[in-house]
Amino acid sequence: MGNALTQKILITLGFLFAYRVLAYVPTPGVDLEVIKGLFDSPGGIAGMANMFSGGAVERMSIISLGIMPYITASIVMELLAATFPALGQMKKERDGMQKYMQIIRYFTIFITIVQAIGVSMGLQSMTGSAGQSAVMIDPMMFTILTTFSMLAGTMLLMWIGEQITQKGIGNGISLIIFAGIVSGLPSAISNTIRAVNAGEMNFLVILGILAIMLITILAIIYVELGERRVPISYSRKTIMQNQTKRVMNYIPVKVNLSGVIPPIFASAVLMFPLTMLQSSTSEFATAVADSLAPGGITFNVVTFLLVMFFAFFYASIAFNAKDIADNLKRQGGFIPGVRPGEHTKEFLNEVASRLTGSGAVYLAIISTVPFMIISGMGASFYFGGVAVLIIVQVALDTMRKIEAQRTMGQYDTLGNVGL
């Protein structure tokens, strides 16, 4: 089993390496010197998109749209599944789940095409400091090439994410976003050192930024490891039947039931319209895009509300009190002082609701406040609470899965020795 774990880790690293290679494959017909002018400052939608794509945007790579179209499609499907019972039932069936995932893929293609066309139109209206165009070929040909190139890039990322989930360690989509953010750390550090040497940033400000980031990381780890343990008792008959087995005597309910999904969903929802608005030549669209620029008050308020919404929404899907109550009843277990069945479901829902409220506020604060403070201190990179949250949560989740694989390997080894 040790070899199997090593193989899964190597497969994961191999696919992540392929993802990083794709980030350096440029879209045909783009003048990269003009594009680099967008990233002289860390703010704006360009900086935010660049962070999530691992620097692919500033290179105008074929994966500039990143995995966000797939995430947006997943959000829409989750909302539809919660609205229409037939679609929700499809998810629970094995054959139905395959159809469900296929619909997400088709919807991802549609969103990618729309965004790619929007990006190509935006690039055509972009000029450099000397007035040179960002596009070096015929506009119609450029739109066609950009659309197909970015569609191929996003489809490759989606495939890489699915392969990591199936054959590697951890959630593939989350690991792709994680790798993209982490890959930008060396550049952020070098830019900060350069700013300090040039006298653009005070050394005390750097210490303040590091302190805020450290406090944020510690707060995330503390909350992510926090859980409410609901005690369980079993009937004497059940205990006798399972006397040679380990029976968990509590139900762990995490403070943050929705994990890293809400901030990722919120970022995807905001980035889609912002990409479309910035590609428009309309003064009204430009004004709306500017008002929603990352770091601004409007952007942070919208992010706060979206994270809260997705935290409650996803927690209601991730934590199914009815299934837990039914399983407890079948196994002869019960919560002391609570009647089995419907009363247990209501009790668990009440516990989950209280925790979700606290978890949603925590996620919303982490997603907005640290970046507001760090950007206000004049940081020369785009690295807010969402980025820290994703890095820490994905790292913790991957470590848990590696530990679970190691534990399974130990049990398999003991079983083989016994035979």
Side-chain angles (χ1 to χ4, degrees):
M1 190 66 184
N3 292 333
L5 176 59
T6 303
Q7 185 179 5
K8 287 187 175 185
I9 293 174
L10 290 175
I11 288 172
T12 301
L13 293 175
F15 277 118
L16 291 178
F17 176 75
Y19 155 63
R20 294 308 305 149
V21 170
L22 288 173
Y24 289 86
V25 180
T27 302
V30 177
D31 188 339
L32 295 180
E33 292 302 317
V34 176
I35 302 300
K36 286 179 182 178
L38 278 173
F39 301 92
D40 292 336
S41 61
I45 184 61
M48 180 180 176
N50 195 50
M51 179 194 72
F52 280 109
S53 67
V57 174
E58 66 180 350
R59 304 182 194 99
M60 202 43 64
S61 161
I62 61 172
I63 60 166
S64 295
L65 295 180
I67 202 68
M68 287 304 174
Y70 178 79
I71 294 173
T72 305
S74 300
I75 294 169
V76 174
M77 286 299 293
E78 290 285 3
L79 291 170
L80 291 174
T83 306
F84 300 101
L87 196 58
Q89 185 62 34
M90 181 189 291
K91 281 182 63 180
K92 297 179 181 179
E93 299 168 357
R94 185 174 180 180
D95 293 337
M97 189 60 183
Q98 293 178 352
K99 294 178 181 177
Y100 181 86
M101 293 303 299
Q102 197 64 26
I103 294 172
I104 290 179
R105 294 187 188 102
Y106 287 136
F107 196 33
T108 301
I109 292 173
F110 170 75
I111 294 174
T112 304
I113 290 173
V114 172
Q115 283 192 293
I117 292 173
V119 169
S120 67
M121 293 174 65
L123 288 172
Q124 289 171 35
S125 62
M126 191 183 299
T127 56
S129 57
Q132 72 273 33
S133 174
V135 177
M136 299 185 295
I137 59 176
D138 177 70
M140 181 60 70
M141 180 58 67
F142 177 73
T143 300
I144 295 172
L145 286 174
T146 300
T147 302
F148 281 99
S149 298
M150 291 189 174
L151 178 61
T154 298
M155 290 299 102
L156 277 170
L157 279 190
M158 184 176 68
W159 179 78
I160 287 172
E162 291 178 350
Q163 293 303 305
I164 291 174
T165 302
Q166 293 171 12
K167 301 177 182 178
I169 292 287
N171 183 290
I173 303 302
S174 297
L175 280 172
I176 286 174
I177 298 173
F178 171 87
I181 296 171
V182 170
S183 67
L185 290 179
S187 175
I189 293 170
S190 64
N191 287 340
T192 303
I193 293 173
R194 192 180 302 113
V196 172
N197 292 336
E200 297 172 3
M201 289 186 73
N202 191 295
F203 184 70
L204 291 177
V205 173
I206 300 298
L207 291 179
I209 291 173
L210 290 174
I212 291 168
M213 292 175 67
L214 180 61
I215 292 170
T216 303
I217 291 171
L218 292 175
I220 291 170
I221 293 173
Y222 178 77
V223 176
E224 290 305 316
L225 296 178
E227 61 184 22
R228 162 79 184 276
R229 296 185 174 184
V230 180
I232 303 171
S233 294
Y234 288 90
S235 63
R236 183 176 179 82
K237 180 180 177 181
T238 304
I239 293 173
M240 293 299 291
Q241 290 174 347
N242 294 279
Q243 58 184 339
T244 59
K245 300 178 183 178
R246 180 180 178 272
V247 179
M248 185 177 288
N249 59 352
Y250 63 87
I251 300 173
V253 185
K254 292 185 65 178
V255 175
N256 178 22
L257 285 166
S258 50
V260 74
I261 299 299
I264 293 178
F265 275 16
S267 300
V269 167
L270 279 171
M271 285 175 68
F272 179 72
L274 282 174
T275 303
M276 295 296 97
L277 288 170
Q278 290 211 335
S279 65
S280 173
T281 56
S282 167
E283 292 184 4
F284 175 75
T286 304
V288 173
D290 290 341
S291 68
L292 286 172
I297 296 175
T298 305
F299 176 85
N300 284 295
V301 169
V302 173
T303 299
F304 191 96
L305 295 175
L306 282 174
V307 170
M308 289 280 289
F309 168 74
F310 283 120
F312 278 100
F313 171 73
Y314 201 79
S316 66
I317 298 173
F319 187 81
N320 194 321
K322 185 178 185 305
D323 287 349
I324 296 174
D326 291 343
N327 288 334
L328 274 178
K329 192 173 182 180
R330 281 196 299 270
Q331 295 170 6
F334 59 93
I335 299 170
V338 181
R339 293 175 61 185
E342 190 66 24
H343 289 82
T344 297
K345 186 194 84 170
E346 292 174 359
F347 176 81
L348 290 173
N349 273 330
E350 185 181 346
V351 170
S353 295
R354 288 200 299 268
L355 290 175
T356 301
S358 304
V361 172
Y362 142 77
L363 281 176
I365 291 174
I366 288 294
S367 300
T368 54
V369 174
F371 175 65
M372 290 174 64
I373 297 173
I374 290 175
S375 61
M377 297 172 80
S380 59
F381 52 88
Y382 189 103
F383 195 76
V386 174
V388 179
L389 185 67
I390 292 171
I391 289 174
V392 175
Q393 282 197 345
V394 174
L396 287 173
D397 182 60
T398 305
M399 287 173 61
R400 288 192 195 104
K401 288 179 178 176
I402 291 175
E403 188 61 34
Q405 289 284 338
R406 289 180 59 190
T407 304
M408 286 174 61
Q410 291 172 0
Y411 281 129
D412 287 347
T413 303
L414 289 172
N416 292 332
V417 170
L419 289 173

